[in-house]
């Protein structure tokens, strides 16, 4: 029995055939996941982006443009979603840097000092929940201004491991601040909703 081609699957898929969609997923999900993981260094993010990619493919099936190679089209969706994800992480990191800098500088007025103290306590609480490795990498990066490469050399880790730990740490701190409220929580919710 001759295998069904991607082109044949695409025709059935456009008509809402779930079996054709599953077959496209089975054929392309592994390479897409590996591609996204290579860019994000996070299995969790790779899985999320993979699911978002195929969800977008399914929900837009009736409006798909003419496609010569469905594999390339799926990769294009995954690439765009990965870039959006990386921009969002960079934006959150910049926001955390700004908040950290504002907290570190003396505030004018009693109310500002109170907010700064509360914010610092909230970040300190989040910091104590981190593993020793996360605390060390975060401290070297944020307080001592070291690059990922310098931290990797000092701690005898790979640069990608340092970057991955930093991304996971920032995500945890952001979630902690959102959950525990206050002005910082609102800032991080807004930052998560902002488009680049």
């Amino acid at each position: 029995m001759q295998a069904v081609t991607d082109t044949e699957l695409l025709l059935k898929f456009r008509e809402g055939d779930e079996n054709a969609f599953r077959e496209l997923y089975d054929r392309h999900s592994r390479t897409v996941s590996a591609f996204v993981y290579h860019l994000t260094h996070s299995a969790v993010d790779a899985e999320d982006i993979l699911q978002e990619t195929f969800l977008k493919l399914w929900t837009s099936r009736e409006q798909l443009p003419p496609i010569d190679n469905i594999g390339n089209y799926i990769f294009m969706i995954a690439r765009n979603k990965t870039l959006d994800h990386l921009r969002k992480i960079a934006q959150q990191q910049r926001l955390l840097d700004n908040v950290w800098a504002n907290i570190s500088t003396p505030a004018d007025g009693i109310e500002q000092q109170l907010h700064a103290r509360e914010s610092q306590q909230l970040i300190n609480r989040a910091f104590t929940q981190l593993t020793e490795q996360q605390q060390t990498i975060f401290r070297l990066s944020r307080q001592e201004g070291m690059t990922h490469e310098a931290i990797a050399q000092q701690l005898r880790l790979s640069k990608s491991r340092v970057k991955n730990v930093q991304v996971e740490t920032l995500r945890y701190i952001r979630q902690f601040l959102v959950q525990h409220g206050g002005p910082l929580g609102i800032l991080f919710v807004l930052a998560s909703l902002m488009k680049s």
Side-chain angles (χ1 to χ4, degrees):
M1 184 175 168
Q2 193 174 5
V4 180
T5 66
D6 274 0
T7 304
E8 292 169 323
L9 282 175
L10 182 58
L11 288 172
K12 293 179 180 179
F13 166 68
R14 284 178 188 269
E15 297 168 359
D17 186 325
E18 292 182 19
N19 290 328
F21 175 69
R22 274 193 215 96
E23 181 63 26
L24 286 171
Y25 181 89
D26 290 343
R27 289 185 185 187
H28 300 284
S29 61
R30 187 172 295 179
T31 50
V32 169
S33 182
F35 166 73
V36 176
Y37 178 79
H38 177 72
L39 294 176
T40 63
H41 302 285
S42 168
V44 173
D45 291 341
E47 181 62 26
D48 287 347
I49 292 169
L50 176 68
Q51 298 305 321
E52 288 175 20
T53 297
F54 278 92
L55 178 63
K56 178 169 178 57
L57 185 67
W58 176 258
T59 57
S60 63
R61 66 189 179 280
E62 294 174 1
Q63 293 84 37
L64 289 177
I67 298 170
D68 292 328
N69 186 321
I70 187 65
N72 288 347
Y73 188 79
I74 292 169
F75 263 93
M76 185 182 70
I77 296 172
R79 183 202 63 198
N80 292 342
K81 291 202 168 290
T82 303
L83 292 175
D84 287 345
H85 172 76
L86 293 174
R87 275 194 289 265
K88 186 176 175 183
I89 286 176
Q91 190 176 56
Q92 290 166 351
Q93 189 163 340
R94 284 194 301 272
L95 179 63
L96 187 58
D97 287 343
N98 290 339
V99 170
W100 197 268
N102 289 337
I103 289 170
S104 301
T105 57
D108 296 328
I110 295 173
E111 187 175 339
Q112 287 179 329
Q113 288 176 5
L114 179 61
H115 283 306
R117 190 163 43 246
E118 288 171 355
S119 299
Q120 182 66 59
Q121 288 171 351
L122 199 56
I123 288 181
N124 288 343
R125 277 178 52 205
F127 191 75
T128 61
Q129 304 295 316
L130 301 173
T131 66
E132 186 175 335
Q133 186 181 63
Q134 287 174 318
Q135 289 182 12
T136 302
I137 290 172
F138 189 81
R139 180 178 47 77
L140 292 174
S141 173
R142 291 287 167 262
Q143 296 173 349
E144 299 185 23
M146 291 175 66
T147 64
H148 288 163
E149 191 170 353
I151 295 169
Q153 288 176 352
Q154 182 170 325
L155 300 181
R156 296 174 194 243
L157 299 169
S158 69
K159 185 178 173 185
S160 65
R161 172 65 184 156
V162 170
K163 181 181 175 185
N164 197 28
V165 168
Q166 187 74 335
V167 166
E168 296 295 331
T169 300
L170 290 169
R171 179 186 294 124
Y172 173 78
I173 290 175
R174 178 176 56 83
Q175 289 170 346
F176 185 93
L177 294 174
V178 168
Q179 288 171 358
H180 293 84
L184 280 181
I186 295 167
L187 275 176
F188 274 84
V189 169
L190 291 174
S192 300
L193 297 175
M194 283 192 328
K195 302 289 184 194
S196 45

